[in-house]
Amino acid sequence: MAEETGSALTFHPMDQFIVSPLFGDGAVHWYTITNVTLWLALVVLAVGALLVLGTSKRATIPTRTQSIGEILYGFTHKMVEDVAGKDAVKYFPYIMTLFIFILFANFLGLLPMSFATTAQIANTAVLALLVFVSVTVLGFVKHGTKFLALFWVSSAPMAIRPVLAVIEVISYFVRPVSHSIRLAGNVMAGHAVIKVFAAFAAIGAVAPVSIIAITAMYGLEVLVAGIQAYVFTILTCVYLKDALHPAH
């Protein structure tokens, strides 16, 4: 909210990311139903409406919802096959779930008075850790100790292989951090900038410029919503490829 005090304009663009109880006031515990809980539930319902209800009456001439569902399905399937290989297609349902969930969460977060769930590092960190643990376990299950070949750059000169191995190990364990922060940071930054521009819309002299800036930024955020879901998913495919084919 923006407040004009004398000649100073005070606003709090980060207030929109505060997690608060949905019913009543008080502290937020792990079992508290919050605004995050509500919007995560709405994301699940929206995904279900598109992929379950929208495709329940499959027809040769598809409806709009069926067409959208089929496009998303085909797009994700091709991504998995192209990036991780044909042997990764068996893991397509998990990757499709990630992609469609993040995509819907990003777009629903752009609605007026909504809550951007993917701007919460707690949410994106869980998604990133699930990917990290899953591909790591998969790598050891399929290859045993040979999975460690991922960290040994056999194509490099022997003298620098130990140094590269240390770098590879560090970069591997940093994956969930960068994976989660990239998504949350981009979503949070865009929403905060829109809120800053919106605060200046109350000032008559700069209101037209502020409205134009909000419109442009909102259009950019629509692109970011799709791109960040794609980036998170394609990185998941890359990590899956490493688990299936660990040798350099």
Side-chain angles (χ1 to χ4, degrees):
M1 180 178 294
E3 296 177 359
E4 198 168 357
T5 306
S7 60
L9 185 70
T10 304
F11 53 90
H12 308 282
M14 305 305 289
D15 284 356
Q16 60 185 307
F17 306 115
I18 295 175
V19 178
S20 57
L22 198 60
F23 306 103
D25 299 319
V28 174
H29 304 283
W30 65 268
Y31 52 82
T32 305
I33 299 176
T34 65
N35 47 356
V36 180
T37 311
L38 171 64
W39 284 95
L40 286 175
L42 291 176
V43 171
V44 174
L45 290 175
V47 172
L50 174 66
L51 297 183
V52 179
L53 298 179
T55 60
S56 59
K57 297 180 180 179
R58 291 182 292 275
T60 305
I61 302 176
T63 61
R64 289 183 180 179
T65 51
Q66 182 180 334
S67 296
I68 294 172
E70 290 176 354
I71 290 171
L72 291 173
Y73 182 97
F75 175 79
T76 312
H77 190 280
K78 189 175 187 304
M79 186 197 312
V80 174
E81 193 173 37
D82 290 348
V83 177
K86 291 186 177 180
D87 53 343
V89 173
K90 66 175 71 174
Y91 307 105
F92 162 76
Y94 176 60
I95 297 175
M96 174 68 177
T97 302
L98 276 177
F99 175 66
I100 199 73
F101 177 82
I102 295 172
L103 185 69
F104 271 62
N106 287 349
F107 279 118
L108 285 179
L110 291 173
L111 294 176
M113 306 302 292
S114 66
F115 189 91
T117 54
T118 44
Q120 295 290 321
I121 191 67
N123 291 333
T124 59
V126 169
L127 296 176
L129 282 172
L130 285 174
V131 172
F132 177 77
V133 172
S134 298
V135 298
T136 302
V137 170
L138 178 64
F140 279 108
V141 167
K142 291 188 70 69
H143 304 286
T145 56
K146 292 182 180 179
F147 178 63
L148 297 176
L150 178 66
F151 309 109
W152 190 252
V153 186
S154 57
S155 59
M158 181 60 71
I160 65 171
R161 288 184 193 177
V163 177
L164 292 178
V166 173
I167 295 173
E168 288 290 332
V169 170
I170 294 173
S171 64
Y172 186 83
F173 283 95
V174 169
R175 281 180 177 182
V177 178
S178 61
H179 208 186
S180 57
I181 290 178
R182 181 183 293 106
L183 174 58
N186 278 281
V187 174
M188 180 182 292
H191 283 68
V193 171
I194 290 176
K195 187 68 176 287
V196 170
F197 287 144
F200 287 99
I203 304 176
V206 297
V209 177
S210 178
I211 292 172
I212 293 172
I214 292 171
T215 304
M217 194 64 200
Y218 193 88
L220 179 62
E221 280 302 292
V222 171
L223 292 176
V224 169
I227 291 171
Q228 288 305 314
Y230 172 76
V231 169
F232 192 98
T233 310
I234 203 167
L235 284 174
T236 301
C237 293
V238 171
Y239 300 157
L240 177 60
K241 180 183 179 181
D242 288 342
L244 297 175
H245 311 284
H248 278 276

